[in-house]
Amino acid sequence: MSNTLIAPSILAADFANLQRDVEMVNQSDADWFHLDVMDGVFVPNISFGMPVIKSIARHAKKTLDVHLMIVEPDRYIKTFAALGVDVLTVHYEASTHLHRTLQAIKAEGMQAGVALNPHTNVDLLKDTIQDIDLVCLMSVNPGFGGQSFIENTYHKVRQLKAIINEKGASTKIEIDGGVTDKNALQLVEAGADVLVAGSYVFRASDPTETIKGLKELTNS
Ligand code: DX5
Ligand code: ZN
């Protein structure tokens, strides 16, 4: 039986009730907290940074999965490690020396993730896949929550899964953007291990039940 992990994206939470929403995730069937850091340069939006993550980390009882949508991510690797981040993901498109960046993340005791924009081919990871703990496939253009899922993602998941198997790697595949009950099962069948869900969870009338539903649907 597969164990699909569910990672609610805090970007869609109510920032004026952050502790309430963090506790909701703590009490729910969710596995990870997905935290989106945007710098207004790599993506056309600014979200939140270190002080907010520090506060979340004080209350969060689950894995902290930080998705950096920033240029020059190397500058902040040590800072995120000190905040208690478990999985640190940088964008392929923002990394000039990806291999070095991955080693630096691991040297700080974190799992190393690489995110790919929708236009970036998974073949580009063939030479680094054994050094990558998590590949985050963007199923929307990064920068905003609440966008529609890009259908080509299924194809990318299958291609990436084939590369992982061929290289004997244990890399997890995460899907980020527009995930709902309409695409979750098909994504898992294609090879996804972690599903990020922002607006689908936090805009629901009962977020806890929505997380439970996604968990059941993808682990049946
Ligand atoms: C988009 C972020 C996502 C976002 C997903 O740039 O990386 O994590 O929060 O939100 P939804 O699930 O609403 O598409
Ligand atoms: Zn994200």
Side-chain angles (χ1 to χ4, degrees), residues 9 11 34 36 38 67 69 138 140-147 176-179 196-200:
S9 174
L11 186 66
H34 184 82
D36 290 303
M38 304 178 185
H67 175 194
M69 283 160 274
M138 292 309 303
V140 298
N141 283 296
F144 303 92
Q147 303 179 80
D176 188 9
V179 171
V196 174
S199 38
Y200 176 65

Side-chain angles (χ1 to χ4, degrees), residues 44-157:
N45 196 12
I46 298 175
S47 57
F48 51 78
M50 288 75 170
V52 173
I53 293 179
K54 192 173 180 182
S55 299
I56 291 172
R58 221 178 282 137
H59 300 284
K61 297 196 176 76
K62 297 178 177 180
T63 296
L64 297 182
D65 169 37
V66 170
H67 175 194
L68 297 182
M69 283 160 274
I70 65 173
V71 297
E72 297 184 41
D74 304 65
R75 295 198 290 158
Y76 302 107
I77 291 172
K78 281 184 193 294
T79 310
F80 285 107
L83 289 173
V85 170
D86 300 288
V87 186
L88 190 65
T89 296
V90 299
H91 262 265
Y92 178 88
E93 303 83 4
S95 307
T96 315
H97 300 284
L98 182 64
H99 186 268
R100 177 185 289 152
T101 303
L102 295 170
Q103 304 311 322
I105 293 172
K106 291 198 223 183
E108 294 299 324
M110 297 179 286
Q111 292 183 53
V114 178
L116 299 186
N117 279 338
H119 74 271
T120 305
N121 198 291
V122 296
D123 280 354
L124 292 165
L125 298 181
K126 272 186 173 169
D127 292 311
T128 39
I129 198 73
Q130 272 141 335
D131 298 299
I132 304 174
D133 296 303
L134 176 95
V135 175
C136 175
L137 290 181
M138 292 309 303
S139 38
V140 298
N141 283 296
F144 303 92
Q147 303 179 80
S148 338
F149 179 82
I150 296 172
E151 298 283 324
N152 185 52
T153 309
Y154 299 120
H155 176 59
K156 288 181 78 170
V157 178

